[in-house]
Amino acid sequence: GLMDRKLELLLKGNAFCNMVESFNADLRKRYGLKKNEIEVLFFLGCCSECNTPSKVASMTQMTRGHVSQAIDTLLDRNLITGVQDERDRRSVHYFVTDEAKVIVRELERSHDKMEERLFEGITSEERETLERIILKLSSNMEEIMKEM
């Protein structure tokens, strides 16, 4: 029915991505960072254990190539540092520098504002229900993908 179509459009539509992008636009301009660079920087700043290019790529839905390009730029600008894995010499872990933590904090504030606006008029109970539903949908999608 129509409800299903609305869910599908919401999930695959660009509305959310466009909204995130517009919330980040000022910061991108101010720091001269591209969309992918700011996304990688934000991700590394927020999720310190997911700090290898492959983990960043899988968590952000970016290609390995785009992640690598962003990492190169962020390294050149001293916004991140790379540390070789002690067990696997081929693997490098990336961390934001003190200089970049300022940008990450601004991004977090921007995302908090966006989330606040997004959840306007939605009760905490409704939000908890939505989170439970999203977890179930996500789990169902993983199961479907395994069967294919």
Side-chain angles (χ1 to χ4, degrees):
L2 182 62
M3 192 57 209
D4 300 336
R5 294 286 176 319
K6 281 187 179 174
L7 175 64
E8 199 174 318
L9 285 170
L10 183 67
L11 291 174
K12 75 177 178 189
N14 288 326
F16 183 76
C17 293
N18 292 340
M19 182 185 65
V20 171
E21 231 173 283
S22 65
F23 265 85
N24 289 339
D26 288 344
L27 288 170
R28 282 212 339 261
K29 264 191 225 110
R30 188 159 9 121
Y31 293 105
L33 292 166
K34 293 182 180 141
K35 180 179 161 285
N36 288 344
E37 294 159 1
I38 215 145
E39 200 170 329
V40 169
L41 186 64
F42 183 61
F43 192 79
L44 290 173
C46 294
C47 185
S48 56
E49 63 278 358
C50 302
N51 57 17
T52 61
S54 56
K55 281 184 183 161
V56 172
S58 69
M59 298 295 285
T60 60
Q61 304 296 303
M62 290 167 65
T63 65
R64 280 292 297 269
H66 285 144
V67 170
S68 292
Q69 283 176 336
I71 283 173
D72 288 343
T73 303
L74 295 169
L75 282 167
D76 287 345
R77 296 202 35 204
N78 296 315
L79 294 173
I80 61 171
T81 56
V83 179
Q84 211 167 35
D85 190 296
E86 289 165 13
R87 286 183 298 266
D88 180 0
R89 306 306 282 155
R90 293 164 304 169
S91 188
V92 180
H93 299 272
Y94 294 96
F95 302 92
V96 296
T97 60
D98 288 342
E99 187 185 335
K101 285 177 183 162
V102 175
I103 303 172
V104 172
R105 275 196 296 275
E106 285 188 60
L107 281 164
E108 284 172 341
R109 279 198 294 275
S110 173
H111 279 246
D112 288 346
K113 263 188 233 153
M114 179 183 68
E115 202 171 285
E116 214 173 277
R117 291 285 316 278
L118 193 59
F119 284 97
E120 241 168 54
I122 296 172
T123 67
S124 55
E125 291 82 17
E126 288 171 328
R127 196 170 169 163
E128 285 168 21
T129 301
L130 177 63
E131 284 170 11
R132 279 197 306 277
I133 292 169
I134 288 171
L135 286 172
K136 286 179 184 175
L137 286 171
S138 181
S139 172
N140 289 346
M141 281 192 279
E142 282 175 28
E143 288 304 311
I144 291 167
M145 293 310 290
K146 280 181 197 165
E147 294 164 14
M148 296 182 137

